[in-house]
Amino acid sequence: MTGSRGLRIAAAVAVAALTGCAAAATHKHIATIDTPCSARAVQIVAQNVEAISSRRYAQASLAAEKAARISLACASTETAKAQFSDRWRGANALVVAAELAHQGAQPQRAKRLLAQGYAIMHMLRPPAHVSELTSTLISQTRDGAERDLRGEWSYW
């Protein structure tokens, strides 16, 4: 694994864990709404680095999906501000799980997870006052999912 690939993986994992940013968040100091529920999902994503680095993509995909399901379940128990964060984190983790499933030679599972994650992303509306950078990050993440849908998969 090259150094740049390792950095890409670390950056992608960090983005997956943190893109569920709250209203006034910026990428330089992301203001997430951390709750005990959402912390479990973030912890799973952080622990997934080893599986990704070792190219155990199917295993990494399962962990990312588990994190997604936890985040999505958290959304039903959280405040309105935390709900967007949890849903976005869950949707993003589903897309990551799909990309990892694709890389792990699980094309049907990848397509199913991608469709679920993208549908949630497409449905979500960011809070009224997000920074331009946060808005850009949300847009870029959706664009990446759209490229995956067109068969231009992101590779880990």
Side-chain angles (χ1 to χ4, degrees):
M1 176 178 293
T2 66
S4 64
R5 179 170 280 281
L7 288 174
R8 183 172 183 265
I9 290 170
V13 169
V15 169
L18 299 173
T19 55
C21 46
T26 66
H27 191 60
K28 291 185 180 174
H29 36 276
I30 293 178
T32 60
I33 298 176
D34 292 320
T35 63
C37 187
S38 64
R40 289 193 321 260
V42 171
Q43 183 180 28
I44 290 169
V45 169
Q47 293 171 343
N48 208 15
V49 172
E50 174 61 30
I52 295 169
S53 298
S54 301
R55 298 183 179 147
R56 295 188 316 261
Y57 298 118
Q59 177 185 349
S61 176
L62 289 171
E65 182 180 6
K66 181 178 179 181
R69 302 293 178 209
I70 289 171
S71 286
L72 294 170
C74 290
S76 65
T77 65
E78 303 291 356
T79 65
K81 277 189 171 184
Q83 285 178 7
F84 175 82
S85 181
D86 289 331
R87 286 186 179 122
W88 184 262
R89 185 182 300 111
N92 188 59
L94 285 172
V95 171
V96 169
E99 291 169 347
L100 291 166
H102 175 76
Q103 191 71 18
Q106 299 174 324
Q108 294 306 107
R109 185 169 174 272
K111 288 177 184 176
R112 179 180 50 80
L113 292 169
L114 179 59
Q116 290 173 4
Y118 181 74
I120 295 167
M121 282 182 181
H122 190 69
M123 175 186 70
L124 282 176
R125 298 294 172 244
H129 303 289
V130 295
S131 72
E132 185 177 326
L133 183 54
T134 298
S135 180
T136 300
L137 290 171
I138 289 170
S139 178
Q140 288 174 345
T141 303
R142 281 188 192 143
D143 290 347
E146 287 173 3
R147 283 191 302 277
D148 290 346
L149 285 169
R150 291 191 306 263
E152 301 167 14
W153 288 94
S154 297
Y155 286 94
W156 294 78

